[in-house]
Amino acid sequence: MTKTYQIKINQGKDSKIVEIPQAGPKGQAVTVKAVEGARYQLVDPQTGFGPENIRTSRQGKDLKVSFEGSQTTDLVVENYYAVTPVGFNGLIGEAESGRFYEYIPESAAGMASVPMLADSGQVVGMALGGAEVTPTGAAVGVLAAGLFSPWLLGAGVLAAAAGGSGSGSG
């Protein structure tokens, strides 16, 4: 028996839910069309929360997602990279705390985040975490990610360390 997940496409006041059975060895991935300004909330219906770990890859303009235990692509968000603002991570999940978070790389490689996936088909492990986001609307999410992103915080610390190496005199 294959496990079923859901994707909730949040577009402000409107949302659409699509069932995603794991593709399995003979199954085919579910394809949804990307929507400008949307967030894509992944849901495990058994828990009501986002799956803790997923795997993602980029193939052309498409975002591909595989769920835990799957050996193939379960979900394709068609034209994700064509309609999603540059640097915006629209792939989110709800944690047990009731708050929403982006899926971020399990490794520290910042270039492997969803917005920066290379068009190579290389699969990258993602975990639910990072900055808290709102479940709807791209503009608010980009602003929140820009203000609270741990990647930017790390870059700021490095810049401060590099700039603060001079000595002052009185």
Side-chain angles (χ1 to χ4, degrees), residues 81-106:
Y81 291 96
V83 303
T84 303
V86 174
F88 177 69
N89 186 349
L91 198 58
I92 65 169
E94 183 178 3
E96 291 178 7
S97 65
R99 295 191 167 116
F100 294 87
Y101 297 93
E102 297 175 341
Y103 282 92
I104 59 172
E106 291 176 340

Side-chain angles (χ1 to χ4, degrees), residues 11-15 136:
Q11 313 170 74
K13 294 179 183 175
D14 299 325
S15 65
T136 59

Side-chain angles (χ1 to χ4, degrees), residues 43-64:
V43 180
D44 179 343
Q46 291 181 344
T47 65
F49 302 112
E52 289 183 25
N53 299 92
I54 59 171
R55 291 184 324 279
T56 60
S57 65
R58 177 179 180 172
Q59 194 74 46
K61 299 289 182 186
D62 300 340
L63 173 63
K64 295 184 173 190

Side-chain angles (χ1 to χ4, degrees), residues 62-153:
D62 300 340
L63 173 63
K64 295 184 173 190
V65 178
S66 302
F67 295 102
E68 286 184 88
S70 181
Q71 300 302 312
T72 186
T73 300
D74 299 307
L75 168 68
V76 176
V77 183
E78 190 175 59
N79 286 324
Y80 177 87
Y81 291 96
V83 303
T84 303
V86 174
F88 177 69
N89 186 349
L91 198 58
I92 65 169
E94 183 178 3
E96 291 178 7
S97 65
R99 295 191 167 116
F100 294 87
Y101 297 93
E102 297 175 341
Y103 282 92
I104 59 172
E106 291 176 340
S107 70
M111 297 308 287
S113 65
V114 171
M116 299 179 153
L117 285 173
D119 182 10
S120 65
Q122 180 179 351
V123 178
V124 177
M126 299 278 175
L128 189 59
E132 183 179 344
V133 296
T134 59
T136 59
V140 173
V142 170
L143 177 61
L147 292 174
F148 302 109
S149 173
W151 300 110
L152 294 177
L153 179 63

